[in-house]
Amino acid sequence: MQKLSLLFMKDGLQWQILKAKKVIEEKQFFVTEESPANLIEEALNEVLSRDDFQDITVLSTLNHFTLMPEGFEKHNLGFDLIAYNADVDKANEELMLSINKKFDVQFYYSFPKNFYKAIKAKDLPTYFNFTGEKFLNTINNKHKKEIHINLYKNQVEFFALENKKVVLYNNLDASSEVDFLYFIMFTLSKIGFGINDTYFYIYGETSENDTFISELQKFAKHMKILFDNLYKKSFILNA
């Protein structure tokens, strides 16, 4: 039997099919001006039409989230908290919770209800998670101040860590690498991270964002690429 992993991104879907922990198939779909508006729904239905999966893992990096300390229990406020960061459509979104015990934080995030229902209709063991939680769980914090950046095709998510505590997490939807850089540098200035004593670690679609990396290198004294996505080796899916 095979395992299905799904990654939902801004205007995008990537899936991996695994057998005995080996990726045997991988596909990506991104909405463009030429593609049908329901491209992601069609791609999801295509892979869900198969009958040889034993379980499904779903990861969402969709920019509908909020970060709270672990132990916050007022789950009825989840949508209201997300609404501070993004427009919320309660009728068409499912409220989800991911907890990271390593850094004592938790994420409320929302997931499109039509995708949620289609996946759950398979009636298979299914594991939902937010990419921020999984990303955070892979981080090995060594220095006083660190920025960990996970690059996607049309998004960037990053953590600011100080003294092994999460100072900030954010997730930006953008198609411009310059916007990525401005967003991160502006954030550094707001949280008091000096460029010379901050360590930057880069993951994900580094080849597709080489302008961002080359520009960041001009400013950052300490920068290291930890993972470059290759075919069948997506950082966040294989982490």
Side-chain angles (χ1 to χ4, degrees), residues 58-81:
V58 183
L59 289 168
S60 173
T61 193
L62 300 176
N63 195 356
H64 280 207
F65 70 91
T66 193
L67 177 65
M68 299 296 292
E70 184 189 359
F72 182 84
E73 295 181 347
K74 296 181 180 179
H75 304 315
N76 60 307
L77 298 179
F79 275 125
D80 295 329
L81 293 169

Side-chain angles (χ1 to χ4, degrees), residues 3-6 8 44 48 53-59 96 109 111 115-129:
K3 296 176 178 287
L4 173 64
S5 293
L6 301 165
F8 289 85
L44 177 62
L48 290 179
F53 302 128
Q54 66 187 57
D55 60 45
I56 302 173
T57 296
V58 183
L59 289 168
M96 316 290 281
Y109 66 102
F111 188 71
F115 296 159
Y116 180 83
K117 288 182 176 179
I119 294 165
K120 294 293 285 185
K122 291 293 290 182
D123 198 24
L124 293 171
T126 303
Y127 311 96
F128 289 87
N129 202 358

Side-chain angles (χ1 to χ4, degrees), residues 3 15 28 31 50 54 56 69-71 93 97 101 122 128 130 148 150 154 169 175-176 191 193 196 205 212 214 226:
K3 296 176 178 287
W15 81 58
Q28 289 185 336
V31 176
R50 306 185 190 186
Q54 66 187 57
I56 302 173
E70 184 189 359
E93 297 180 38
L97 174 66
K101 294 185 177 296
K122 291 293 290 182
F128 289 87
F130 186 60
H148 293 259
N150 190 16
N154 296 320
Y169 166 82
S175 56
S176 166
I191 62 176
F193 275 35
N196 291 328
E205 296 292 342
F212 166 81
S214 63
L226 291 187

Side-chain angles (χ1 to χ4, degrees), residues 1-64:
M1 293 292 286
Q2 300 172 351
K3 296 176 178 287
L4 173 64
S5 293
L6 301 165
L7 171 60
F8 289 85
M9 301 162 281
K10 173 179 165 56
D11 297 327
L13 169 65
Q14 179 177 351
W15 81 58
Q16 285 185 347
I17 297 173
L18 302 94
K19 188 172 184 179
K21 297 184 179 181
K22 181 180 180 180
V23 179
I24 61 174
E25 183 178 339
E26 179 176 274
K27 288 188 177 180
Q28 289 185 336
F29 302 85
F30 288 96
V31 176
T32 66
E33 292 181 357
E34 291 76 29
S35 64
N38 63 341
L39 174 69
I40 305 305
E41 185 175 3
E42 290 180 352
L44 177 62
N45 290 338
E46 175 191 336
V47 73
L48 290 179
S49 68
R50 306 185 190 186
D51 294 321
D52 51 355
F53 302 128
Q54 66 187 57
D55 60 45
I56 302 173
T57 296
V58 183
L59 289 168
S60 173
T61 193
L62 300 176
N63 195 356
H64 280 207

Side-chain angles (χ1 to χ4, degrees), residues 103 139-148 159-167 193-194 196-201 203 221-224 226:
F103 286 90
I139 291 174
N140 183 16
N141 187 208
K142 297 179 180 179
H143 303 283
K144 182 178 180 181
K145 294 181 179 181
E146 296 181 354
I147 301 290
H148 293 259
F159 282 97
L161 303 176
E162 185 173 17
N163 296 322
K164 299 186 178 182
K165 297 291 184 182
V166 176
V167 175
F193 275 35
N196 291 328
D197 59 358
T198 299
Y199 288 75
F200 293 83
Y201 297 97
Y203 312 71
K221 184 177 179 181
H222 310 286
M223 195 198 86
K224 186 175 182 180
L226 291 187

Side-chain angles (χ1 to χ4, degrees), residues 95-114:
L95 181 63
M96 316 290 281
L97 174 66
S98 288
I99 299 173
N100 186 280
K101 294 185 177 296
K102 183 176 178 180
F103 286 90
D104 300 320
V105 296
Q106 63 191 42
F107 297 84
Y108 289 102
Y109 66 102
S110 62
F111 188 71
K113 190 163 287 193
N114 58 330

